[in-house]
Amino acid sequence: MAYAFGADPWSVTSILSPSDEATSPSLRNFNLEQPTPQMVPAALHMVEPSVIPTAKSTPVLAARATAGVVIRPLTAEPVVSLAAPLPLLRQILRLLVPTVVAAPLLLVLLATRTVPMEAAVPRTDTAENRPIIVVQDARADAQTLLVEEEEEQVHPTLPVRRLPHHRSLSSENQPMLLGLAHPPLTAHVVLQMATLSAFCGSTTAHCGTGCQSGPCSGAPVQPAPGPSPAPVNPNPGSLATHAPSSQNPLVQAGVPAMHAGLLPNGKVVFLDKVENYTQLKLPNGQYAYSAEYDPNTRAVVPLSYKTNAFCSGGAFLADGRFVSIGGNAPLDFDPTVGNGFNAVRYLSRSASDASLNGQSWSEPGNKIASPRWYASVQTMPDGTLFVASGSKNGLDPTNPDNNNPTYEILNAVGITSGNNIPLEILNKNQPYYMYPFVHLLNNGQLFIQVAKSAEIFNVGTNAVVKALPDLPGDFRTYPNTGGSVLLPLSSANGYAPDIVICGGGAYQDITSPTDPSCGRIQPLGANPTWQMESMPEGRGMVEGTLLPDGSVIWVNGCNTGAQGFGVAKNPTLEVLIYDPAKPVGQRFTTGPTSGIARLYHSVALLLLDGTLMIAGSNPVEQPVLTPVPNRVPSEDFVTEFRVEIYTPPYLSGANANKRPTGMTLSSKSLKADGSTFTVKFTAPTGNKAVKVALYHGGFVTHSVHMNHRMIFLDTTGYAAGATAQTLTVKMPPNRNVAQPGPYVVYVTVDGVPAVGQFVSVA
């Protein structure tokens, strides 16, 4: 008998059974009719013939939601349509189970929201010690079933990747095939998992480890260097964990720090997704998913929001408000929080109006033009927001129908123009297209990096100005994000942009290698090329933060794995100090080593006093407070609420007593038009050099620091050796160099910063 499954609620692409010697008369070799292009699933790729024989005693069950697929047996039996496929699926499972237990096979099961199947297949190891995959019933209130794998099993010859841990089978008409067969299996068939760990496109940025297309071929590609040892910095700085406040000793960060920003009042906002536990509760009895943290007193205030901010993008508006854009769906255990896919959230804080402190997020109801989850946001010279990329629904990114490879423009107060404009660099790099790196260049154009591809893009004309060379190495953006930093701008070279990107990985799985290499490029140069160097070890989820002296601190991440729940291990704990002014090969030195793993959903950002705050790590679907070994997905690393402070070399040792003091500014309302302002301060005796930096920390999430930039300003009036100093400081020439918004002014004397002060650049 053969079966044709209808389109709703799901249909089956193929059922591959044992050979004719199988005991069940209803299970035979089947012929899959040639699928049309729109039907081709990532899960099953037919290389040559449409007849797929399997060897004796090697059953395979493979399926994916695809409308209208007909499966015909090799015999001329009639096709029977079934309106309700669930009984048949259960029958197939019952027939396969006795054979599966004895067969050298990795079995894959399919389920939808109406199929509680925790007992469908026993958790049994075969004689060859190959684990069976089990479909487990999810929480009673969830609309997903979860697939679990117990051990790594990667076929040594076929180009397939194993099932990632804890993949959700969505209930929204997108059941997914996930599978891998052990030989004997004919060479005419390649089974590919419907996950990022085996899906790539057709561009030069889509080949290599983790792609079904295999290693890169064609034109020679500059190889990415391997790890390069780095010497210990003679003054490495120090790491310390913030103790909770005495008023509330059980509260640390308060909430998992998925997103963060330094606010104009000097405090830090943490923003998280909807959770079933945080350290703070709201007056309505629900847990808080956002908090305002005072780094001086360690006091933490819970903040509420109306829509789920899970994996949103964000920026500071020109008027100083902190804005979070996009997000994800609500969860039914908190009915007070709604759909965040197209939401815009505002947080108002001021350096001078303390009455705003502690106020919750405002959501007046304006929406973006389309749903976006994992979108990047860049402030443009006119104060508008360029919002790019994102998932429409949080479902399988290997299905383009779920993706949003477009951009839209929001005005200076966060109101969308209503247009979703295709962006080809996102489109061609699916599914590695989310949270792209975006930097504003000094000509008003954008540098955009996605996966391995990079380009210069003109938003005003909606045109690619220049396609840049591919960055050698592995993928650099989600789910294998490294870190990207626009190095300090200055008039010395005409504010020419210089960008460094470090780290990355091969595919979204706990087995993925990570990339130790860094690429550095001057995108507006006459012949832009990537200058390659490397860190001491591969790092995914590594993030770089500028310091006021011009150096970059790299922290957080893992040496194996990727972004996602339970898919990272071997945390990278060492602080790396990068001096961009030194020759290639001499730029990295090592700092102290943390004792806290900072994996998925960690953040780092500079505080007003010049120290670096490090927080977060929540690599589990819902908070886990105690490690649980041998879980799949991994729960070896818990939800982390502790906050660390890294004190850089410029405030360590003898430098600790050399900080400039008493800084005052003639104005805190500045313009990027070449105008001047005055800064006065007291310098330590014997001083030799001074710098003034205009610093924007931006919106920090997923190791992406959106809008992060620093400009060294020209100064006159410095008197070497004098303690009383008065400088005339010249602002950048235009808003391409310093777009509108809040900034911090840092004065450094002999590399040691004074406590910074917020200003507004109009």
Side-chain angles (χ1 to χ4, degrees), residues 95 152 674:
L95 290 168
E152 297 182 14

Side-chain angles (χ1 to χ4, degrees), residues 7 17 56 85 151 257 282 631:
S17 77
K56 178 179 178 181
E151 296 180 9
L282 299 167
R631 280 285 180 91

Side-chain angles (χ1 to χ4, degrees), residues 592-656:
T593 297
S594 174
I596 301 175
R598 304 286 184 180
L599 301 173
Y600 193 42
H601 296 154
S602 299
V603 297
L605 73 166
L606 189 70
L607 300 176
L608 288 179
D609 65 359
T611 62
L612 188 77
M613 171 182 281
I614 304 169
S617 193
N618 189 24
V620 287
E621 189 169 7
Q622 290 293 323
V624 173
L625 304 182
T626 303
V628 183
N630 303 317
R631 280 285 180 91
V632 178
S634 171
E635 292 184 0
D636 291 345
F637 300 101
V638 300
T639 304
E640 185 57 68
F641 290 96
R642 286 174 292 177
V643 175
E644 285 178 292
I645 297 295
Y646 171 61
T647 301
Y650 55 47
L651 290 174
S652 300
N655 291 333

